[in-house]
Amino acid sequence: MKFNVFTEMEYVVKSASTLILNINALRTQHQTVLSEEFTIDPYIKTEELPATAGENRMVRFEVDKPQTIKVTYKATVDNHYKTVDYEGLYETAVAQFDHSIIPYLYPSRYCQSDKLYRLANDMFGNIVNPFTKVIAITDWIYWHVEYLSGSTNSETSAFDTVTERQGVCRDFAHLGIALCRALTIPARYFTGYAYQLQPPDFHACFEAYISGEWILFDATKLIPLNGMVKIATGRDAADTAIANIFGDADLTSIVVSCEPAEDGFEAFNYGPVDYKGISYL
C-alpha cells in the first residue's frame, strides 16, 4: 500500500547549533521510498548519517547563526506487510537467536526489563504461546495504563509507567518492550507515520520477535496496524528520537500527516484473540 507522508517543523535557533533529525521514511526490503524531498528554508546543507544503533536515516545539519528555520519532509512510500497466524507460532530458544537479535533481549535505558521480571512472569509467565502472551501484555497495558497527553516526559521509563499507570504512546511502547524482554521475548521500539492518528503526530509502538518474525503491536490501539510507515527501530526511544539538538534551538511548530496515496486501503484494526499479527519485515 502506498502512503503520502509529510512533516513540517519550525525551529527558532538562538545560537549556533547542530540538529540531527530522524523523520525520513526508512528504506527496507519491504518498504520502498518511491520519492522524497527534504528541504530547509533558508537552505542549509545536510548530511545523512549511517545507522549505528537500530535502523534509521538520521539527517544532520548545522545552523551557524541565530535564525528561524523551516524543515519540510515529504515522501511517497510503498510498504508491504503480511499477516501472521498466531496459532502456528512457537517460542524460539535464546541459543537459536541470530546475534543481531540478542541486544533486544537486554534491559535498556527506558526499558528496565530486569526490574519487571517478577511482575511479567507472575502475570504472563503461564501463557505458552508467545504471540498470545504478547497480546495479553498489550491488552493489560491498554486496560490498566491511562493514555494521558502531557502526563510524562523524556525521562519517564517503563518502570515509572507501570508504577504511575499513565503515559503516551512512547510509554506504552516502552512498557510493552520491557515486559516482553522480561519474558525472554526480544522486542524493539518502532516509530513511524500513522494513518488516522488523532491528533496527527509521529507514533510509537513496538515489535516483538516471534518465530523468526518481527511482529507489530500497539498497546494504545489508536491506529490501524497496517497504516504505519516506518521511520526507525531501536532498543528504545533513545535510539529513535525524532530530533536531537546540540545547541540552543526551540521547536515552535510541527505538522505531521500520513494518508493513503491510492484508493482501496482497508484499515486493519486491532482485534481481540482472533487478531492476526502484522509483520512489516
Side-chain angles (χ1 to χ4, degrees), residues 95-114:
Q96 297 175 351
F97 288 144
D98 183 81
H99 73 279
S100 63
I101 305 299
I102 298 298
Y104 299 106
L105 280 172
Y106 300 150
S108 59
R109 175 179 175 181
Y110 295 111
C111 304
Q112 312 101 313
S113 50
D114 50 339

Side-chain angles (χ1 to χ4, degrees), residues 247-265:
D248 190 357
D250 294 327
L251 176 67
T252 55
S253 70
I254 181 170
V255 177
V256 180
S257 71
C258 177
E259 296 294 336
E262 55 190 3
D263 296 332
F265 175 70

Side-chain angles (χ1 to χ4, degrees), residues 1 5 15 32 39 53 70 115 117 122 159 184 190 209 216 232 235 242:
M1 182 66 196
V5 298
S15 63
T32 304
T39 60
K70 181 184 293 182
K115 292 185 177 181
Y117 173 82
D122 286 348
F159 188 79
T184 324
F190 178 118
Y209 190 75
L216 186 65
R235 292 165 297 181
I242 294 299

Side-chain angles (χ1 to χ4, degrees), residues 119-256:
L119 174 68
N121 278 273
D122 286 348
M123 292 194 298
F124 312 109
N126 63 333
I127 302 173
V128 176
N129 182 289
F131 183 88
T132 306
K133 190 177 293 187
V134 183
I135 285 291
I137 289 171
T138 57
D139 283 347
W140 185 89
I141 296 171
Y142 177 78
W143 289 111
H144 292 87
V145 180
E146 181 182 5
Y147 189 92
L148 189 61
S149 296
S151 60
T152 58
N153 56 42
S154 61
E155 297 181 359
T156 303
S157 69
F159 188 79
D160 298 326
T161 301
V162 82
T163 302
E164 298 166 7
R165 300 293 176 91
Q166 62 184 16
V168 295
C169 62
R170 159 194 169 111
D171 308 302
F172 280 49
H174 282 155
L175 181 53
I177 291 167
L179 292 171
C180 283
R181 291 178 185 170
L183 295 164
T184 324
I185 298 174
R188 67 186 185 184
Y189 193 87
F190 178 118
T191 185
Y193 296 93
Y195 175 57
Q196 292 185 336
L197 182 64
Q198 295 298 328
D201 202 346
F202 300 108
H203 189 58
C205 44
F206 73 96
E207 292 175 307
Y209 190 75
I210 303 171
S211 191
E213 302 278 3
W214 284 109
I215 301 175
L216 186 65
F217 297 88
D218 182 12
T220 71
K221 304 188 182 185
L222 290 175
I223 52 99
L225 291 179
N226 63 337
M228 295 288 293
V229 172
K230 183 185 291 189
I231 293 175
T233 61
R235 292 165 297 181
D236 54 31
D239 288 342
T240 60
I242 294 299
N244 285 287
I245 299 172
F246 302 89
D248 190 357
D250 294 327
L251 176 67
T252 55
S253 70
I254 181 170
V255 177
V256 180

Side-chain angles (χ1 to χ4, degrees), residues 7-11 39-42 68-72 253:
T7 306
E8 185 176 271
M9 309 166 77
E10 185 174 274
Y11 284 93
T39 60
I40 303 175
D41 184 21
T68 298
I69 63 169
K70 181 184 293 182
V71 178
T72 303
S253 70

Side-chain angles (χ1 to χ4, degrees), residues 24-25 27 33-38 48 57 73-76:
N24 289 22
R27 292 190 177 100
V33 180
L34 300 176
S35 64
E36 68 178 347
E37 184 179 342
F38 185 105
E48 186 169 323
R57 294 179 58 208
Y73 176 77
K74 55 184 177 181
T76 299

